[in-house]
C-alpha cells in the first residue's frame, strides 16, 4: 500500500522557518520517500506505508520537541491513477 502525507506545523513565521518546521522537513527528507515537496505553507510526500507511517511518528515527535504548538496532517491511501 502507498500513502501520501500532507502536513503543516505551527506557529507560522513568515520571516524564517521556525525550528519545528525545519525539524519536520528534515524528517521527511531523510525518510527515503517519493515525491517530496516542501514549501512555506504545506508539505507532501509519498511512499510505502511502513516508511510513511514511521516518518509521520518521527515528524510528530521531532516537531513537537522543537516547539510546534500544532501539527496538522492528512494521510491518504493512493493507488494507480490517483492524482
Amino acid at each position: 500500500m502507498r500513502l501520501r502525507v500532507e502536513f503543516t506545523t505551527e506557529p507560522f513565521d513568515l520571516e524564517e522557518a521556525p525550528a519545528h518546521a525545519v525539524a519536520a522537513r528534515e524528517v521527511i527528507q531523510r525518510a527515503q520517500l517519493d515525491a517530496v515537496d516542501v514549501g512555506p505553507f504545506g508539505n507532501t510526500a509519498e511512499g510505502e506505508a511502513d516508511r510513511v507511517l514511521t516518518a509521520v511518528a518521527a515528524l510528530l515527535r521531532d516537531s513537537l520537541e522543537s516547539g510546534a504548538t500544532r501539527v496538522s496532517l492528512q494521510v491518504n491511501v493512493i493507488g494507480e491513477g490517483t492524482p
Side-chain angles (χ1 to χ4, degrees):
M1 174 183 355
R2 289 185 57 80
L3 301 175
R4 175 184 295 127
V5 61
E6 301 175 47
F7 67 92
T8 58
T9 62
E10 296 179 38
F12 294 113
D13 182 343
L14 296 177
E15 299 295 320
E16 66 180 83
H20 57 81
V22 172
R25 291 177 189 162
E26 287 176 351
V27 166
I28 291 299
Q29 290 171 330
R30 285 191 314 260
Q32 298 179 353
L33 299 176
D34 306 322
V36 174
D37 183 22
V38 297
F41 300 109
N43 309 279
T44 61
E46 298 177 8
E48 294 302 316
D50 288 342
R51 285 188 178 182
V52 171
L53 295 174
T54 297
V56 166
L59 179 154
L60 290 169
R61 181 184 55 250
D62 290 4
S63 61
L64 292 169
E65 288 176 354
S66 296
T69 57
R70 179 180 184 147
V71 179
S72 300
L73 66 90
Q74 179 173 305
V75 177
N76 295 309
V77 175
I78 59 173
E80 291 187 33
T82 302

